Amino acid sequence: MDTQQRTGEQGPVPFRSSRFFCVGSKWYFTTREGFDSGPFASRERAEIGLKRFLHVVRLLPEEQQVH
């Protein structure tokens, strides 16, 4: 869990957890919206999957972006 304040944050640090989790030997990532993606063969592959997901989200028009 990340317990440090991020740039621009004020007040108490909100609860944070990792976007990555492992079930058995398979890795997944989760989004703020509660979408789980996977399975991936390794955490590294899950990290690549998350980067690709975020890249696609940034390409969406502003009104269609998930937050």
Side-chain angles (χ1 to χ4, degrees):
M1 178 175 64
D2 184 2
T3 58
Q4 297 181 348
Q5 285 190 325
R6 295 178 181 168
T7 303
E9 284 186 335
Q10 298 176 4
V13 176
F15 175 80
R16 295 191 178 102
S17 62
S18 175
R19 288 184 182 240
F20 303 98
F21 61 96
C22 185
V23 176
S25 63
K26 302 295 183 183
W27 283 88
Y28 299 79
F29 70 82
T30 188
T31 67
R32 292 178 186 154
E33 298 76 28
F35 171 74
D36 295 338
S37 181
F40 296 92
S42 66
R43 181 182 171 117
E44 292 78 20
R45 293 282 187 174
E47 290 172 359
I48 292 168
L50 175 59
K51 288 178 185 177
R52 289 179 178 167
F53 172 81
L54 294 173
H55 175 75
V56 170
V57 167
R58 288 185 193 108
L59 295 175
L60 293 172
E62 189 68 31
E63 64 272 2
Q64 292 182 348
Q65 288 187 8
V66 290
H67 297 281

